[in-house]
Amino acid sequence: MIILFGVFVRYNEESDTHWVDYRKENNITSDIENDYYFRYPSFQDVHVMIFVGFGFLMTFLKRYSFGAVGFNFLVAAFGIQWALLMQGWFHSLDYTDGKIKIGIENLINADFCVAGCLIAYGAVLGKVSPVQLLVMTLFGVTLFAVEEYIILNVLHAKDAGGSMVIHTFGAYYGLSISWVLYRPNLDKSKHLNGSVYHSDVFAMIGTLFLWMFWPSFNSAIADHGDGQHRAAINTYLALASTVLTTVAMSSLFEKTGKLDMVHIQNSTLAGGVAVGTAAEFMLSPYGSLIVGFFCGIISTLGYIYFSPFLEEKLKIQDTCGIHNLHAMPGVIGGIVGAISAAAATNTVYGDLGLENTFDFTGPFAKRVPTIQGGYQAAGLCVALCFGIGGGIFVGLVLKLPIWGDPADENCFDDEIYWEVPEDEESVPPILAYNNHMIPNKHCTISKQSSHMPLISPLWEVSM
Amino acid sequence: MIILFGVFVRYNEESDTHWVDYRKENNITSDIENDYYFRYPSFQDVHVMIFVGFGFLMTFLKRYSFGAVGFNFLVAAFGIQWALLMQGWFHSLDYTDGKIKIGIENLINADFCVAGCLIAYGAVLGKVSPVQLLVMTLFGVTLFAVEEYIILNVLHAKDAGGSMVIHTFGAYYGLSISWVLYRPNLDKSKHLNGSVYHSDVFAMIGTLFLWMFWPSFNSAIADHGDGQHRAAINTYLALASTVLTTVAMSSLFEKTGKLDMVHIQNSTLAGGVAVGTAAEFMLSPYGSLIVGFFCGIISTLGYIYFSPFLEEKLKIQDTCGIHNLHAMPGVIGGIVGAISAAAATNTVYGDLGLENTFDFTGPFAKRVPTIQGGYQAAGLCVALCFGIGGGIFVGLVLKLPIWGDPADENCFDDEIYWEVPEDEESVPPILAYNNHMIPNKHCTISKQSSHMPLISPLWEVSM
Amino acid sequence: MIILFGVFVRYNEESDTHWVDYRKENNITSDIENDYYFRYPSFQDVHVMIFVGFGFLMTFLKRYSFGAVGFNFLVAAFGIQWALLMQGWFHSLDYTDGKIKIGIENLINADFCVAGCLIAYGAVLGKVSPVQLLVMTLFGVTLFAVEEYIILNVLHAKDAGGSMVIHTFGAYYGLSISWVLYRPNLDKSKHLNGSVYHSDVFAMIGTLFLWMFWPSFNSAIADHGDGQHRAAINTYLALASTVLTTVAMSSLFEKTGKLDMVHIQNSTLAGGVAVGTAAEFMLSPYGSLIVGFFCGIISTLGYIYFSPFLEEKLKIQDTCGIHNLHAMPGVIGGIVGAISAAAATNTVYGDLGLENTFDFTGPFAKRVPTIQGGYQAAGLCVALCFGIGGGIFVGLVLKLPIWGDPADENCFDDEIYWEVPEDEESVPPILAYNNHMIPNKHCTISKQSSHMPLISPLWEVSM
């Protein structure tokens, strides 16, 4: 990796010391017009989403918090380096000297690329080894870079918030892998495939940071000025609307009328996914609300009805429910983007505005909105194909018995990959020999039993 | 809501694709002068305060963390949509076409408006149903928009950080509601009205994000340039000073000399509240320190002496102690604002600076600082009246027996509104009838043993 | 403190109402060129690192989370006020009127200064009283300001990210204090010197916020434009690289092949420390990767081999392992900075770029890169001397028996300084002598009792 960076990667003109010369040559009046100041706040928000948002969102499992946040950290850190190279070759290659020139926008794009892989991680959470995750990321980033190049550069589709490029691709990539790696006996670790009170609160940290910073996600690489401004507003509205319908649906469709934390943690984010592609278009505020409204419904119903169906009938085990949070909303986002692009008019956008928003310049100067809508739809298909096809291929690679994946009964358990502190509370406080030791259904055999061979049986008051 | 947005809400000229034309017409040299870049970083910080700050601050209760963070999420997401409409009608209505034109400043203001309602939530935390919260928010936002219009537009008072508009109003609104909804038998759920070790750490997440981002809160809608700069500095200093006096007071006035987490979680923030109104004035660094200094004292003493008095004598049950964190510091903030406005001079501010800071332009061109001070004081009275009057009215509405509020013995308990995971650790691990209690090496003697000297040996299932 | 601020501290021309005049006089075209907009987003990120990052990083101890996050809060809030004064006298004194003029850069520098003291806190975590911490901070800030003045102003060394000024100084300051305060009988509280599952997850919040915002830390006070841009890129890359080597090392060198949370929480950050000085130089992307690569190795091996050695042979008890996270990487950072400064050429930097980056202006106009490298190295030595010398002196002061430090058996325990909630779970659930099941007052009836009707009475090990 270092060698590849040594050969290929350099600073671009805005992050190089020659900026001071570049400024003079291009009549840039102030340092503040460096792209850094346009994008850095959004970049940091996206960075938080990748590492804290995705990481903590997955801590909801009772004994897989280390794996959730730790492997997320590992995968993301590996992925952004590889993404800088792969995306660099496709997007930022300076043909005059064959070098990749990087600036703040490349860092954001690398984070975006990794987001696709982390979405995929959600489907296989707790069921794969860290090595498998790295392999998944290696291929995932590569596929992502190619897919992104086809969608954004060849088809010239717009996808500021990545509904297609990131979410649709990432989700179907993960679901396909999970389908190939189907474990019929996953029931053996069923007792660990659930949350405890505190782990649900930890997961809310992830949810909220994703939710709050999603406007930055969708606006991070949008056009300077009105583009970023509009993307933030649209995302803010779509997300607000999703929360309301999610809560309503969760309460209506649960038998007890109570709210389910799974929905609050996940479905509330669906609006941000679905408004991604169209975020910088003139979707209009009520358009954003409508998108968010329907996504809250679809995503919550997905958790209630569709996830069990996926698992039982289609043999897709989807730990975090990414089908409901990323796949369906991503596809909806692609469709919304295609429709709103096709419906764009000079009256609404203004002549200059239309050209600006869709970049109808250079080789694409003659394209009109209706045609653009078609290319947007084509982009969605490309994302789907790459996701499903790539996922099946990588799934087969991961099925090779060389990656050290956990046994069925060790899934969702940190113990096999982490030094887990011997919580005092995981040791039974009282050990009685005589008579009547009555295990209850929640008790599991303590892993510490080997330390105290004389005393048995031992039940864990698991944390 | 969607229909109202469809009829009324549009992008403003800085978030519309016509920005590119607008720029040319107004000789704006760079995209970076779009208001988005002046305010977006502050907006995101405020957003974090609303959703993570307020949400996690209230997770301190041992079994009400889902409700704290989840209902906060629901209320805020609902409130910002309603606030965009209500504030829009009062502040951002374009009279030429009858539309509300929104931009980044509207999003910040909507977050501010919701902050008022979340403050009120603090007083009734654990004692109301989600439906009651939504009703509270519906009325709260409406009252807020009217009150804000009177204070900022009619009286032309300045209130960048909302000491009066947000904190005073919100706190008295919540306290009045809590007074009307007084529960004489709340003792029945007393065992749940307290914290456990980890819930206090979760609450510190809320405290710290509120504390850290408060400079953004107070500077978010301040004047471009020196106004935002100064507001951030003043708030930073006031908050730092409050922490010291809070710690000192907490240690001095507790019988054991130990620190109380309740004070650290709440009183440390009082300085930010109190410096809100005057944050963009030339309060001077030591002025900020003085404000913070006294608020730390008052707020901490409020928790120790005034809260029990409120509950016993005035029949106001204030779960989070918002009287000490928002009400008293808010009133102080209003007074500090009035005094520092009245004391403003041309020597300190400069001729242009004075005009700029207080917006002595248009119909208010002839106003002088002393008169401004009077109007500031009038603003504080308006906030108080709206808070108390509105709170009593809404409290009576919420007293109708149709909102599904929890019984006295179910207060502070997530079980009635949430699917709570059946924690394994909440199940007794071992049930021994006969003799033979064998300690194991991980067990330590309980620190509580001194409380129960008759019973031994005691082993701790330490946390 | 208030008096000192009253006498000395004023707003600078960018945060004063006279900004509007200043702008006109200096032909500044837009409010957006106020330094506030260049630095505010980075400032807020740094602020998060100081309060949430450092605070939560230290919550890993099972019963010292209140102390970690609470005393961190106290120390930082005290330190930034004192730092504004001390650094002000050395850096921001306006000689025309003898006042310190503060703006956003001073706030960042105050946060930086406090970072040095918080690093030192890591070495003595759990072993000192809050009063000792305040004394440590008082002296630490003072030493820091002098050391910083010598390194940055007298020697004119560059240190944007503070590898030398902050990390080397802070770490050796803390280690020296810990050496003087060596406790031979610390074993008595050994059972509390470790983590539990949830406390490790809390610590990951700290780790991740430090990791994510480190690019802001290193770029916060770098040069406008390309300087900040480049510093962010270099730090991003170095940190990403460190994560990979840390994980690899942790897995390779642990006997069981499992990952250790201590390494993930700490060593992953070493790259950010080490790239601090050189972050704004033309270190080049692969240079950053190399620095991160080696720091991950060194830091992780430090935890495995060097920390036990330090404790046993050198009698330095280093609770958080700051020697591995800050001391060694800090020194490496200083060396990397010296080498890369000495190796700077006009070809790589450009004539103007070289002058800009190293500020070869005014009295230093004639300095060349090789000489600059020497001064960088001299700066590192100054940081080391101040850290070790100052630490020994302050350690001796703290050894006076007047500061109320905890007894050996009370180390790492919140109980002595905090009102700790009496967690239900810290009480033995069942007390059985002879058939006599005696409930104690903290026990509540389990909600699960209905599941096991045969077994009663049941007490809940709640939580």
Side-chain angles (χ1 to χ4, degrees):
Chain A
M1 192 81 81
I2 291 171
I3 296 167
L4 287 171
F5 267 74
V7 176
F8 286 109
V9 184
R10 297 291 179 272
Y11 303 114
N12 75 6
E13 71 274 2
E14 308 202 60
S15 58
D16 191 286
T17 43
H18 292 88
W19 159 251
V20 63
D21 304 315
Y22 181 82
R23 249 189 72 182
K24 286 194 182 158
E25 285 161 27
N26 292 268
N27 270 325
I28 295 169
T29 51
S30 166
D31 276 335
I32 196 95
E33 296 194 47
N34 193 304
D35 197 36
Y36 178 82
Y37 300 102
F38 284 94
R39 307 215 182 272
Y40 191 71
S42 304
F43 159 66
Q44 278 291 11
D45 293 347
V46 172
H47 219 42
V48 171
M49 292 174 73
I50 301 299
F51 289 89
V52 162
F54 281 106
F56 273 86
L57 185 62
M58 298 192 284
T59 56
F60 69 97
L61 290 173
K62 64 185 80 167
R63 295 301 286 184
Y64 207 69
S65 302
F66 289 7
V69 75
F71 294 151
N72 181 81
F73 194 13
L74 170 65
V75 163
F78 166 69
I80 53 181
Q81 294 176 53
W82 185 235
L84 279 175
L85 283 171
M86 293 304 302
Q87 294 185 313
W89 280 315
F90 283 107
H91 296 286
S92 308
L93 201 61
D94 183 339
Y95 292 102
T96 58
D97 60 0
K99 305 290 186 194
I100 299 165
K101 299 289 170 66
I102 63 172
I104 188 76
E105 197 170 337
N106 298 68
L107 305 192
I108 298 173
N109 276 319
D111 273 16
F112 277 4
C113 182
V114 162
C117 297
L118 296 178
I119 290 165
Y121 179 29
V124 297
L125 180 71
K127 299 177 297 183
V128 293
S129 71
V131 178
Q132 283 179 307
L133 280 176
L134 290 176
V135 174
M136 235 175 96
T137 309
L138 184 78
F139 284 107
V141 167
T142 314
L143 287 162
F144 184 99
V146 179
E147 167 236 28
E148 188 190 25
Y149 178 75
I150 296 176
I151 296 177
L152 301 189
N153 296 44
V154 178
L155 299 178
H156 194 69
K158 302 288 286 180
D159 198 9
S163 297
M164 305 183 289
V165 172
I166 301 167
H167 297 285
T168 305
F169 166 76
Y172 284 102
Y173 180 64
L175 290 167
S176 305
I177 291 174
S178 190
W179 178 68
V180 177
L181 299 181
Y182 182 69
R183 288 168 179 264
N185 300 317
L186 196 59
D187 272 358
K188 286 182 187 168
S189 51
K190 199 179 180 181
H191 61 287
L192 289 175
N193 188 1
S195 63
V196 288
Y197 196 72
H198 279 312
S199 70
D200 269 332
V201 182
F202 277 121
M204 280 304 290
I205 296 175
T207 300
L208 286 174
F209 275 103
L210 285 173
W211 195 91
M212 295 181 304
F213 288 161
W214 214 293
S216 295
F217 191 91
N218 285 349
S219 68
I221 56 163
D223 281 346
H224 287 181
D226 63 299
Q228 290 193 288
H229 202 148
R230 197 165 48 251
I233 294 173
N234 285 334
T235 313
Y236 175 95
L237 289 170
L239 284 165
S241 163
T242 309
V243 175
L244 298 191
T245 45
T246 298
V247 171
M249 286 291 125
S250 180
S251 176
L252 279 174
F253 285 83
E254 286 284 324
K255 281 161 231 151
T256 53
K258 294 183 185 180
L259 297 171
D260 190 329
M261 259 296 177
V262 173
H263 308 153
I264 308 298
Q265 282 159 8
N266 294 283
S267 300
T268 48
L269 302 168
V273 174
V275 87
T277 301
E280 59 174 339
F281 302 163
M282 291 289 282
L283 186 59
S284 81
Y286 67 90
S288 308
L289 288 180
I290 294 171
V291 171
F293 180 86
F294 283 109
C295 280
I297 296 175
I298 290 165
S299 179
T300 313
L301 294 182
Y303 276 98
I304 299 173
Y305 298 114
F306 207 62
S307 281
F309 172 81
L310 267 187
E311 178 151 0
E312 279 159 39
K313 305 295 173 188
L314 300 186
K315 308 292 180 201
I316 298 176
Q317 291 155 332
D318 179 6
T319 314
C320 295
I322 62 166
H323 189 266
N324 312 305
L325 171 50
H326 297 281
M328 291 192 296
V331 171
I332 293 173
I335 296 170
V336 170
I339 294 173
S340 50
T345 61
N346 287 43
T347 348
V348 173
Y349 283 75
D351 293 338
L352 267 172
L354 192 70
E355 193 191 305
N356 250 17
T357 307
F358 294 101
D359 275 335
F360 289 155
T361 52
F364 306 100
K366 299 228 164 140
R367 200 179 270 189
V368 293
T370 43
I371 305 294
Q372 177 69 20
Y375 279 104
Q376 296 282 140
L380 180 59
C381 298
V382 172
L384 276 167
C385 294
F386 266 80
I388 296 171
I392 291 172
F393 168 73
V394 175
L396 290 171
V397 172
L398 294 181
K399 222 170 171 156
L400 299 175
I402 56 173
W403 308 113
D405 51 334
D408 287 340
E409 60 271 26
N410 290 331
C411 284
F412 314 119
D413 194 348
D414 275 335
E415 293 262 350
I416 49 169
Y417 299 119
W418 296 88
E419 302 276 349
V420 178
E422 294 186 8
D423 292 9
E424 295 179 26
E425 68 269 34
S426 69
V427 173
I430 290 162
L431 302 157
Y433 282 18
N434 269 349
N435 313 337
H436 313 300
M437 304 293 290
I438 303 165
N440 73 60
K441 62 172 182 170
H442 298 288
C443 288
T444 56
I445 303 301
S446 167
K447 274 144 202 147
Q448 274 76 25
S449 58
S450 56
H451 299 174
M452 292 161 287
L454 292 177
I455 305 168
S456 82
L458 269 175
W459 291 278
E460 183 183 10
V461 191
S462 141
M463 207 2 265
Chain B
M1 192 82 79
I2 291 172
I3 295 167
L4 287 171
F5 268 74
V7 176
F8 286 108
V9 183
R10 297 291 179 272
Y11 304 114
N12 73 8
E13 70 273 1
E14 307 202 60
S15 59
D16 191 287
T17 43
H18 291 89
W19 159 253
V20 61
D21 304 314
Y22 181 82
R23 249 189 72 183
K24 287 195 182 159
E25 285 161 27
N26 291 271
N27 271 324
I28 296 168
T29 51
S30 165
D31 276 335
I32 196 95
E33 297 193 47
N34 193 305
D35 197 36
Y36 178 81
Y37 300 102
F38 284 94
R39 307 216 181 272
Y40 192 71
S42 304
F43 159 66
Q44 278 292 12
D45 293 347
V46 171
H47 219 41
V48 172
M49 292 173 73
I50 301 297
F51 289 89
V52 162
F54 281 107
F56 274 86
L57 184 61
M58 297 191 285
T59 56
F60 69 97
L61 290 173
K62 64 184 82 165
R63 295 301 286 185
Y64 206 70
S65 301
F66 288 8
V69 75
F71 293 151
N72 182 82
F73 194 14
L74 170 65
V75 162
F78 166 69
I80 53 180
Q81 294 177 53
W82 186 235
L84 279 175
L85 284 172
M86 293 304 303
Q87 294 186 312
W89 281 316
F90 283 106
H91 296 285
S92 309
L93 201 62
D94 182 339
Y95 292 103
T96 58
D97 60 359
K99 305 290 184 194
I100 299 165
K101 300 289 170 65
I102 62 171
I104 188 75
E105 196 169 338
N106 298 68
L107 305 191
I108 298 172
N109 275 318
D111 272 16
F112 277 4
C113 182
V114 162
C117 297
L118 296 177
I119 290 165
Y121 179 28
V124 297
L125 180 72
K127 299 178 298 183
V128 293
S129 71
V131 178
Q132 283 179 307
L133 279 176
L134 290 176
V135 173
M136 235 176 95
T137 309
L138 184 77
F139 284 107
V141 167
T142 314
L143 288 162
F144 184 99
V146 178
E147 167 236 27
E148 188 190 25
Y149 179 74
I150 296 175
I151 296 177
L152 301 189
N153 296 44
V154 178
L155 299 178
H156 195 71
K158 303 287 287 179
D159 197 8
S163 298
M164 305 183 289
V165 171
I166 301 168
H167 296 285
T168 305
F169 166 77
Y172 284 101
Y173 181 64
L175 291 168
S176 304
I177 292 175
S178 191
W179 178 68
V180 177
L181 299 181
Y182 181 68
R183 288 168 179 265
N185 300 315
L186 196 59
D187 273 358
K188 286 182 186 169
S189 50
K190 200 179 179 179
H191 61 288
L192 290 174
N193 188 0
S195 63
V196 289
Y197 196 73
H198 278 313
S199 69
D200 269 332
V201 182
F202 276 121
M204 280 306 288
I205 297 175
T207 300
L208 287 174
F209 274 103
L210 286 172
W211 194 91
M212 295 180 304
F213 287 162
W214 215 292
S216 294
F217 192 91
N218 285 349
S219 68
I221 56 163
D223 281 347
H224 288 181
D226 62 301
Q228 290 193 288
H229 203 147
R230 195 164 51 249
I233 295 173
N234 285 334
T235 312
Y236 175 96
L237 289 170
L239 284 165
S241 162
T242 308
V243 175
L244 299 191
T245 44
T246 298
V247 171
M249 285 291 126
S250 180
S251 176
L252 280 174
F253 284 83
E254 286 285 324
K255 282 160 231 151
T256 54
K258 294 183 185 180
L259 297 171
D260 190 329
M261 259 295 176
V262 172
H263 309 153
I264 308 299
Q265 282 160 9
N266 294 283
S267 299
T268 49
L269 302 167
V273 174
V275 87
T277 301
E280 59 174 339
F281 301 162
M282 293 289 283
L283 188 58
S284 82
Y286 67 91
S288 308
L289 288 180
I290 293 170
V291 171
F293 180 85
F294 283 109
C295 280
I297 296 174
I298 290 166
S299 179
T300 313
L301 294 183
Y303 276 97
I304 299 174
Y305 298 113
F306 207 63
S307 282
F309 171 81
L310 268 187
E311 179 152 359
E312 279 159 40
K313 305 294 175 190
L314 301 185
K315 308 293 182 200
I316 298 177
Q317 290 155 332
D318 179 4
T319 313
C320 295
I322 62 166
H323 189 268
N324 312 305
L325 170 49
H326 297 282
M328 290 192 296
V331 171
I332 292 172
I335 296 168
V336 169
I339 294 172
S340 51
T345 61
N346 286 45
T347 347
V348 172
Y349 283 75
D351 294 338
L352 267 172
L354 191 70
E355 194 191 306
N356 251 16
T357 307
F358 294 101
D359 275 335
F360 289 156
T361 51
F364 306 101
K366 300 228 163 139
R367 200 180 270 187
V368 293
T370 42
I371 304 293
Q372 177 68 23
Y375 279 104
Q376 295 283 140
L380 182 59
C381 297
V382 172
L384 277 168
C385 293
F386 267 81
I388 295 171
I392 291 173
F393 167 72
V394 175
L396 291 171
V397 171
L398 293 180
K399 220 168 171 161
L400 300 174
I402 55 171
W403 307 114
D405 50 333
D408 287 340
E409 60 271 27
N410 290 331
C411 284
F412 314 119
D413 193 348
D414 275 334
E415 294 262 349
I416 49 168
Y417 299 119
W418 296 89
E419 303 276 349
V420 178
E422 294 186 7
D423 292 8
E424 296 179 28
E425 69 269 36
S426 67
V427 173
I430 288 162
L431 303 158
Y433 295 1
N434 271 350
N435 305 351
H436 309 297
M437 308 291 288
I438 301 162
N440 74 60
K441 64 171 181 173
H442 297 288
C443 287
T444 55
I445 302 301
S446 167
K447 277 150 202 142
Q448 274 74 24
S449 59
S450 57
H451 299 173
M452 293 161 286
L454 291 176
I455 304 166
S456 82
L458 268 176
W459 292 278
E460 182 184 9
V461 191
S462 141
M463 196 14 258
Chain C
M1 193 83 80
I2 292 173
I3 296 166
L4 288 170
F5 268 75
V7 176
F8 286 109
V9 184
R10 296 292 177 271
Y11 303 114
N12 73 6
E13 71 273 1
E14 306 202 62
S15 58
D16 191 287
T17 43
H18 292 88
W19 159 252
V20 62
D21 304 314
Y22 181 82
R23 250 189 72 183
K24 287 194 181 158
E25 285 160 26
N26 292 270
N27 272 325
I28 295 169
T29 51
S30 166
D31 276 334
I32 197 94
E33 295 192 48
N34 193 304
D35 197 36
Y36 178 81
Y37 300 102
F38 284 95
R39 307 218 182 270
Y40 192 71
S42 305
F43 159 66
Q44 278 291 12
D45 294 347
V46 171
H47 218 41
V48 172
M49 293 173 73
I50 300 298
F51 289 89
V52 161
F54 281 107
F56 274 86
L57 185 61
M58 298 191 285
T59 57
F60 70 97
L61 291 173
K62 64 185 79 166
R63 296 301 286 183
Y64 207 69
S65 301
F66 289 7
V69 75
F71 293 152
N72 182 81
F73 195 13
L74 170 65
V75 162
F78 167 68
I80 53 181
Q81 294 176 52
W82 185 234
L84 279 174
L85 284 172
M86 293 305 301
Q87 294 185 312
W89 280 316
F90 283 106
H91 296 287
S92 307
L93 201 61
D94 182 339
Y95 293 102
T96 58
D97 60 0
K99 306 290 185 194
I100 299 165
K101 300 288 171 68
I102 62 171
I104 189 75
E105 197 168 336
N106 298 68
L107 305 192
I108 298 172
N109 276 319
D111 272 15
F112 277 4
C113 181
V114 162
C117 297
L118 297 178
I119 290 165
Y121 179 27
V124 296
L125 180 73
K127 300 178 296 183
V128 293
S129 71
V131 178
Q132 282 179 307
L133 280 175
L134 290 176
V135 174
M136 235 175 95
T137 310
L138 184 79
F139 284 107
V141 166
T142 314
L143 287 163
F144 184 99
V146 179
E147 166 235 28
E148 189 190 24
Y149 179 74
I150 296 175
I151 296 178
L152 301 189
N153 296 44
V154 178
L155 299 178
H156 194 70
K158 302 287 287 179
D159 198 9
S163 298
M164 305 183 288
V165 172
I166 302 168
H167 296 285
T168 305
F169 165 76
Y172 283 102
Y173 180 64
L175 291 167
S176 305
I177 292 174
S178 190
W179 178 68
V180 177
L181 299 181
Y182 181 68
R183 287 167 180 266
N185 300 317
L186 196 58
D187 273 358
K188 286 183 186 169
S189 51
K190 200 180 179 180
H191 61 288
L192 289 174
N193 189 0
S195 64
V196 289
Y197 195 73
H198 278 313
S199 68
D200 269 332
V201 182
F202 276 120
M204 280 305 289
I205 297 176
T207 301
L208 286 175
F209 275 102
L210 285 171
W211 194 92
M212 295 181 303
F213 287 162
W214 214 292
S216 294
F217 192 91
N218 285 349
S219 69
I221 57 163
D223 280 348
H224 288 180
D226 63 300
Q228 291 193 288
H229 203 149
R230 196 165 49 250
I233 295 173
N234 284 335
T235 312
Y236 175 96
L237 289 170
L239 283 165
S241 163
T242 308
V243 174
L244 298 191
T245 43
T246 298
V247 171
M249 284 291 127
S250 179
S251 176
L252 279 174
F253 284 83
E254 286 284 325
K255 281 160 232 152
T256 54
K258 294 182 184 182
L259 297 170
D260 191 330
M261 260 295 176
V262 172
H263 308 154
I264 308 298
Q265 283 159 9
N266 293 284
S267 300
T268 48
L269 302 167
V273 174
V275 87
T277 302
E280 58 172 342
F281 301 163
M282 292 289 283
L283 187 59
S284 83
Y286 67 91
S288 309
L289 288 180
I290 294 171
V291 171
F293 180 86
F294 283 108
C295 281
I297 296 174
I298 289 166
S299 178
T300 313
L301 293 182
Y303 276 97
I304 299 173
Y305 298 113
F306 206 62
S307 282
F309 172 81
L310 267 187
E311 179 152 357
E312 278 159 40
K313 306 294 173 189
L314 301 185
K315 308 291 180 201
I316 298 176
Q317 291 155 332
D318 178 6
T319 313
C320 295
I322 62 166
H323 189 267
N324 312 305
L325 171 49
H326 297 282
M328 291 192 297
V331 171
I332 292 172
I335 296 169
V336 169
I339 294 173
S340 50
T345 61
N346 286 43
T347 347
V348 172
Y349 283 74
D351 294 339
L352 267 173
L354 192 69
E355 193 190 307
N356 251 15
T357 307
F358 293 102
D359 275 336
F360 288 156
T361 51
F364 307 101
K366 301 228 163 140
R367 199 180 270 188
V368 294
T370 42
I371 305 294
Q372 177 70 20
Y375 280 103
Q376 295 283 138
L380 181 60
C381 299
V382 172
L384 277 167
C385 295
F386 267 81
I388 296 171
I392 291 172
F393 168 73
V394 175
L396 291 171
V397 172
L398 294 180
K399 220 165 173 163
L400 300 174
I402 55 172
W403 307 114
D405 51 333
D408 287 340
E409 61 270 27
N410 290 330
C411 283
F412 314 119
D413 193 347
D414 275 335
E415 294 262 349
I416 48 167
Y417 299 119
W418 295 89
E419 302 276 350
V420 178
E422 294 186 7
D423 291 9
E424 296 179 26
E425 68 269 35
S426 67
V427 173
I430 290 164
L431 303 159
Y433 276 23
N434 276 336
N435 305 335
H436 306 283
M437 307 293 286
I438 302 164
N440 73 60
K441 62 172 181 171
H442 298 288
C443 288
T444 56
I445 303 300
S446 166
K447 275 153 202 140
Q448 272 74 25
S449 58
S450 57
H451 299 174
M452 291 160 287
L454 292 176
I455 304 166
S456 81
L458 269 176
W459 292 277
E460 180 184 11
V461 191
S462 139
M463 188 25 235

